[in-house]
Amino acid sequence: MTGDRDLNAAREALTRLHLGAGVRHAQLRERLGPELRRIWGITSKDLTEVMELTIVRLDQSLSDLPKPDLARTARVAYNLDPDPDLVGLLYMDRIKALSGRLGPKNSVRTLERHVKSVREHIGARLARAWPPVPADALRRVRARERAARSPAPTDDSRLLASIGSLLVPRDPVEESINEFLAGTMLVPRDAENRLALARTAAHGDWVCAFSSPHRFDEYRREVIPPWGPQPLPTTGADLLRKLRQERLRAGILVNPEAARNAAPVATLPLSPQLVEQISGRLP
């Protein structure tokens, strides 16, 4: 049975859980705190798994809300769904966007009252018994997140073949660059949903880009970099435009290998100088 002190600490954590990136915050495990993690049975230290388990627990907590509009507001407030228009926004921007979708009868002030009611609803249910997270519920969340990371079926075989051709000196570099510009990439973001930059003293700043969800997940699992859980899906060309728009001088490392001694047969490094040259050719 959970004591009053632990319940109070867990409810205090709930008062902040919706803020910022919500369940997609890079410090989610710390924001939950030991008491709320213990109540909800969240023992993992993997950021993505903590997020998935938290989504399930919040789904369970919202299942008996008295009004559908409260549940709709709660899902946006806690950033539970990988909605491409909302997932990268901070809390107040998500609420403003939801208000804009729903119209004048759902002002920001009204929606914030909804969030307060939801928070009290969730807090009141913390004292009940929490059985282990159902496997089927966790599978549904994971399937939803995987689908969002790859919004459309992509085939990176042409890009990988062109990168491999670089090992033969007579084959043109231009082919790989063109495939990168046209291909769909997954680009890591930091806790504030900005592009995650790797800073080096000798070679400047770099951005990683992955040509498939499998490559992104494998690298993150092996290296455990300090990234947020939701990458940015974009084309190579749009990534260059974003760097140009934000005035970021950075190189791009396509498909970095997690193992230091692995043969880089699918890796394409674009130096900061080359990125600037290519970007200058884009409209």
Side-chain angles (χ1 to χ4, degrees):
M1 186 171 180
T2 305
D4 289 343
R5 181 177 296 179
D6 282 357
L7 281 173
N8 289 336
R11 286 168 181 149
E12 179 63 25
L14 278 174
T15 66
R16 302 182 298 272
L17 194 55
H18 62 291
L19 299 177
V23 300
R24 300 172 193 279
H25 196 283
Q27 301 298 321
L28 175 61
R29 191 173 188 277
E30 291 74 14
R31 296 182 84 186
L32 290 170
E35 296 83 9
L36 186 52
R37 292 199 307 269
R38 185 160 52 249
I39 290 171
W40 278 349
I42 298 176
T43 59
S44 176
K45 294 183 179 180
D46 178 80
L47 175 60
T48 300
E49 188 172 6
V50 171
M51 180 193 73
E52 294 163 348
L53 293 167
T54 303
I55 291 174
V56 173
R57 288 310 197 196
L58 286 171
D59 280 344
Q60 293 173 324
S61 301
L62 302 176
S63 63
D64 58 348
L65 279 169
K67 298 179 181 179
D69 56 344
L70 292 179
R72 177 182 56 201
T73 303
R75 302 199 71 79
V76 172
Y78 288 100
N79 213 6
L80 298 182
D81 300 315
D83 184 324
D85 296 326
L86 300 177
V87 72
L89 302 180
L90 299 180
Y91 166 69
M92 188 51 69
D93 293 324
R94 292 196 301 275
I95 292 298
K96 289 177 180 176
L98 179 60
S99 175
R101 284 183 180 182
L102 300 178
K105 291 185 178 180
N106 292 273
S107 66
V108 169
R109 181 175 294 182
T110 297
L111 295 181
E112 288 209 275
R113 285 199 297 268
H114 289 178
V115 175
K116 183 175 183 294
S117 298
V118 167
R119 215 164 50 228
E120 293 171 351
H121 176 90
I122 297 172
R125 278 148 184 75
L126 288 180
R128 71 185 184 183
W130 290 88
V133 169
D136 59 339
L138 192 57
R139 279 194 297 269
R140 285 194 297 270
V141 169
R142 286 174 172 168
R144 191 168 66 214
E145 294 294 319
R146 280 196 303 270
R149 288 201 299 270
S150 183
T154 60
D155 181 4
D156 63 348
S157 58
R158 292 180 59 186
L159 173 61
L160 300 185
S162 67
I163 293 173
S165 74
L166 296 177
L167 301 176
V168 184
R170 67 176 179 273
D171 286 345
V173 175
E174 196 69 21
E175 179 184 356
S176 289
I177 293 175
N178 288 337
E179 292 296 340
F180 162 72
L181 294 174
T184 299
M185 299 287 127
L186 294 174
V187 182
R189 294 189 279 197
D190 64 17
E192 303 301 327
N193 283 300
R194 298 170 299 199
L195 295 179
L197 293 177
R199 303 188 183 278
T200 68
H203 304 290
D205 294 343
W206 288 77
V207 173
C208 293
F210 297 85
S211 59
S212 71
H214 168 73
R215 292 181 182 279
F216 174 84
D217 289 339
E218 182 179 47
Y219 186 90
R220 184 171 59 180
R221 184 174 58 251
E222 295 297 325
V223 178
I224 316 179
W227 298 339
Q230 194 75 17
L232 171 69
T234 184
T235 64
D238 283 342
L239 174 57
L240 264 62
R241 293 188 183 99
K242 185 174 180 64
L243 289 171
R244 185 175 64 189
Q245 179 184 3
E246 297 183 6
R247 298 184 179 180
L248 294 174
R249 191 174 192 274
I252 299 173
L253 189 58
V254 180
N255 294 330
E257 291 287 350
R260 181 168 295 182
N261 297 324
V265 294
T267 301
L268 175 66
L270 303 175
S271 69
Q273 296 84 355
L274 183 55
V275 166
E276 286 186 342
Q277 292 175 21
I278 301 170
S279 179
R281 297 171 2 205
L282 298 176

